[in-house]
């Protein structure tokens, strides 16, 4: 019944079981019918034997007792289940009876064949002076009993069929009521598929289905939260992108433009006779301006894609980040540590770890008010790294990179500006198959941890 509805299964399977049980009961009754017919026949034969014995005992002495005996037998009370014949007077009638054991017309032949007992007959002789003058034959006639049994079977089958119909109707009603929560859950999932995360399923009276309802509601809550986070993240990314473009435009306009104008002016003064500037002095001025352009170019490139990450490796690039913040905030204690041999991660993984640390240091330096910030890097097989209870879905021998940034500032609860950056960290790490979490220790401050897969570890030079 694969592919059919659960409701149909719950209706058909019990109905088939009950129908088979009814068939079994009817088969058992049919099997017992033969014994019942034989018992009724034997009882009637015993009674017939007593009546025949009394009739023979009171016969008058005569050379031909047949007519008197037939009259006496005919006057006996009607006996069911047996037939009486006076022989040889009624021998032709006996032969016809023996030749047609087909059962009553109202009984099907198969039932008569299954229920009719073996042929049975008994003879009582009429003896006078040692001579047998006649016989009374008692022949089993189960037709009446077979007809009664068939009527009972038909009535019983009708009652059972009615009960089966009632049973199927009750099962259909019960299954219909029980399947309503399933339809409700299906409708709720359809709403979730369409993006309606406010769908809340009402309580369910069925104990086995109510946990599913709770799971769907929790799923809706999670999807709604993730959808809100994604919208905020996209909005933040667009805002940051526009801010970065604005900053780059500002630097190009306010720094690169005037510098290039000054280069052009110096060159024009050198080229013009009597311009008042010697070639040597003009060249030195132009070289200084070129240094400024080069510094601006490096600063812009570093903002777009950190060059130190590819030139010196991840550990050195993060060390440079920490050193930059140490120069900006000398009163804050900045520390960085690394353990394990740094591999050669792919560009995406290295850049993701770099951006995680960059975002955390920015939050710590601008918003947390921390007096101490520590960056920890670790490389190696997952089974060898001691990173606490941070979850990992990979194998124990997978090569991973671990980074943790800790500060003793006011914590994330008191610094709402952290929200969007931390959300970006989670999404960036998750997209690369890693995991990240943000915690506020009991002693205060913030801990941001990230774990990224790196593939097979190779000897690095970090």
């Amino acid at each position: 019944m694969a592919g059919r509805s659960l409701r149909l299964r719950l209706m058909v399977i019990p109905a088939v079981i009950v129908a088979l049980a009814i068939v079994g009961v009817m088969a058992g009754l049919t099997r017992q019918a033969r014994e019942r017919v034989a018992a009724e026949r034997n009882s009637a034969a015993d009674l017939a034997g007593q009546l025949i014995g009394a009739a023979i005992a009171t016969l008058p002495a005569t050379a031909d007792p047949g007519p008197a005996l037939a009259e006496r037998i005919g006057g006996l009370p009607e006996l069911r289940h047996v037939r009486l014949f006076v022989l040889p007077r009624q021998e032709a009638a006996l032969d016809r009876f023996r030749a047609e054991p087909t059962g009553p017309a109202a009984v099907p032949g198969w039932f008569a064949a299954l229920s009719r007992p073996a042929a049975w007959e008994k003879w009582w002789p009429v003896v006078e002076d040692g001579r047998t003058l006649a016989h009374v034959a008692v022949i089993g006639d189960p037709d009446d009993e077979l007809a009664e049994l068939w009527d009972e079977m038909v009535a019983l089958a009708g009652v059972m069929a009615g009960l089966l119909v009632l049973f199927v109707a009750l099962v259909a009603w019960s299954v219909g009521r029980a399947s309503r929560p399933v339809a409700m859950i299906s409708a709720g999932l359809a709403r979730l598929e369409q993006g309606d995360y406010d769908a809340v399923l009402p309580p369910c009276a069925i104990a086995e289905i109510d946990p599913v309802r709770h799971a769907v509601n929790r799923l809706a809550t999670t999807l709604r939260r993730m959808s809100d986070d994604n919208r905020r993240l996209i909005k933040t990314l667009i805002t940051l992108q526009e801010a970065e473009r604005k900053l780059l435009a500002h630097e190009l306009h306010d720094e690169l433009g005037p510098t290039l104008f000054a280069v052009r002016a110096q060159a024009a003064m050198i080229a013009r006779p009597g311009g008042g500037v010697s070639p040597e002095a003009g060249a030195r001025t132009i070289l200084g301006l070129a240094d400024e352009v080069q510094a601006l170019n490096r600063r812009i490139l570093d903002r777009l894609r950190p060059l130190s990450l590819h030139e010196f490796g991840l550990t050195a690039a993060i060390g440079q980040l920490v050193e930059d913040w140490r120069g900006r905030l000398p009163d804050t204690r900045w520390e960085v540590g690394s353990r394990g041999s740094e591999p050669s991660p792919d560009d995406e993984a290295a850049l993701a770890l770099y951006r995680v640390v960059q975002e955390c240091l920015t939050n710590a330096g601008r918003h947390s008010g921390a007096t101490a910030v520590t960056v920890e890097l670790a490389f190696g097989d997952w089974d060898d790294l001691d990173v606490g209870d941070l979850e990992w879905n990979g194998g124990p021998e997978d090569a991973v990179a671990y980074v943790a940034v800790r500060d003793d500032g006011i914590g994330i609860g008191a610094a709402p500006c952290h929200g969007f950056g931390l959300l970006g960290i989670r999404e960036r790490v998750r997209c690369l198959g890693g995991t990240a979490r943000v915690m506020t220790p009991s002693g205060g401050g913030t801990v941001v941890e990230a774990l990224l897969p790196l593939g097979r570890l190779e000897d690095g030079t970090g």
Side-chain angles (χ1 to χ4, degrees):
M1 298 180 66
R4 298 183 181 178
S5 68
L6 178 62
R7 180 175 183 178
L8 183 61
R9 295 186 186 187
L10 294 177
M11 290 173 56
V12 171
I13 293 176
V16 170
I17 293 175
V18 174
L20 292 176
I22 292 175
V23 172
V25 170
M26 300 299 289
L29 292 176
T30 303
R31 184 177 180 182
Q32 295 174 1
R34 183 188 297 267
E35 299 176 0
R36 176 177 166 180
V37 171
E40 292 289 340
R41 180 203 60 197
N42 293 338
S43 177
D46 291 340
L47 177 59
Q50 296 175 10
L51 295 176
I52 292 171
I56 293 175
T58 59
L59 281 175
T62 176
D64 184 10
L69 183 58
E71 183 180 354
R72 293 283 180 92
I73 295 300
L76 293 177
E78 184 178 357
L79 298 177
R80 302 175 68 240
H81 315 311
V82 293
R83 295 283 294 275
L84 306 180
F85 297 91
V86 178
L87 303 177
R89 186 181 183 87
Q90 296 177 316
E91 188 169 355
L94 175 59
D95 291 340
R96 287 195 304 271
F97 177 77
R98 285 174 172 171
E100 300 177 357
T102 57
V107 177
W110 64 267
F111 182 76
L114 290 174
S115 304
R116 180 183 293 275
W120 179 92
E121 59 184 57
K122 188 174 181 181
W123 295 47
W124 276 267
V126 179
V127 180
E128 183 177 344
D129 296 334
R131 293 181 306 116
T132 300
L133 303 178
H135 286 85
V136 178
V138 180
I139 308 297
D141 183 12
D143 287 354
D144 291 340
E145 188 66 22
L146 288 175
E148 290 182 4
L149 281 174
W150 176 251
D151 291 340
E152 292 177 5
M153 295 279 284
V154 170
L156 180 60
V159 172
M160 289 187 173
L163 292 176
L164 176 60
V165 172
L166 179 61
F167 174 77
V168 172
L170 290 175
V171 170
W173 178 78
S174 300
V175 171
R177 285 183 59 86
S179 61
R180 289 178 186 174
V182 177
M184 175 187 68
I185 292 173
S186 178
L189 291 174
R191 293 175 63 185
L192 291 181
E193 183 182 8
Q194 296 171 1
D196 183 7
Y197 304 133
D198 293 325
V200 178
L201 301 181
C204 175
I206 300 178
E208 291 79 6
I209 297 182
D210 201 51
V212 180
R213 179 189 68 86
H214 282 295
V216 172
N217 286 340
R218 290 195 299 270
L219 175 63
T221 301
T222 302
L223 291 176
R224 181 171 58 251
R225 183 177 64 251
M226 293 179 63
S227 178
D228 293 341
D229 289 345
N230 287 337
R231 282 196 295 268
R232 289 197 300 270
L233 178 60
I234 292 173
K235 181 180 179 180
T236 303
L237 291 177
I238 294 175
T239 302
L240 292 176
Q241 184 182 49
E242 293 302 322
E244 187 72 18
R245 290 176 177 177
K246 183 178 179 180
L247 181 60
L248 290 175
H250 173 75
E251 290 187 350
L252 292 175
H253 180 272
D254 293 351
E255 296 189 34
L256 183 59
T259 303
L260 292 176
F261 178 78
V263 170
R264 187 181 184 86
Q266 286 293 325
M269 293 175 65
I270 295 173
R272 187 175 57 191
V277 177
S278 65
E280 295 81 4
R284 286 193 296 271
T285 302
I286 292 175
L287 286 175
L289 294 173
D291 290 339
E292 293 181 12
V293 172
Q294 189 174 12
L296 175 61
N297 180 66
R298 178 175 291 275
R299 189 164 64 248
I300 293 175
L301 290 176
D302 194 56
R303 182 181 297 118
L304 296 176
R305 189 84 173 181
L307 298 178
S308 58
L309 183 63
H310 302 284
E311 293 177 359
F312 307 111
L314 180 62
T315 303
I318 291 178
Q320 185 60 49
L321 277 177
V322 174
E323 190 63 32
D324 291 344
W325 277 102
R326 184 180 289 119
R328 298 182 195 179
L329 300 175
D331 294 336
T332 301
R333 188 173 73 254
W334 301 86
E335 298 180 356
V336 60
S338 176
R339 52 191 173 93
S341 178
E342 179 182 341
S344 300
D346 58 78
D347 290 344
E348 287 187 337
L351 183 60
L353 292 172
Y354 181 87
R355 294 303 188 194
V356 167
V357 176
Q358 186 180 45
E359 178 65 29
C360 292
L361 293 180
T362 301
N363 288 336
R366 293 181 179 178
H367 309 298
S368 69
T371 61
V373 180
T374 302
V375 179
E376 178 187 358
L377 287 170
F379 306 95
D381 293 342
W382 163 252
D383 199 29
D384 298 332
L385 293 183
D386 182 16
V387 294
D389 58 348
L390 188 62
E391 294 183 358
W392 174 243
N393 297 324
E397 297 182 357
D398 289 347
V400 295
Y402 168 77
V403 62
V405 181
R406 300 176 176 87
D407 66 64
D408 60 354
I410 59 176
I412 58 175
C417 295
H418 289 192
F420 295 137
L422 297 180
L423 179 60
I425 288 175
R426 293 192 187 98
E427 290 302 315
R428 184 188 292 270
V429 172
R430 183 182 63 83
C431 289
L432 295 179
T435 181
R437 69 178 176 182
V438 182
M439 300 183 299
T440 299
S442 57
T446 303
V447 177
V448 179
E449 295 177 295
L451 192 68
L452 275 178
L454 297 177
R456 184 185 300 274
L457 275 178
E458 301 175 356
D459 292 337
T461 59

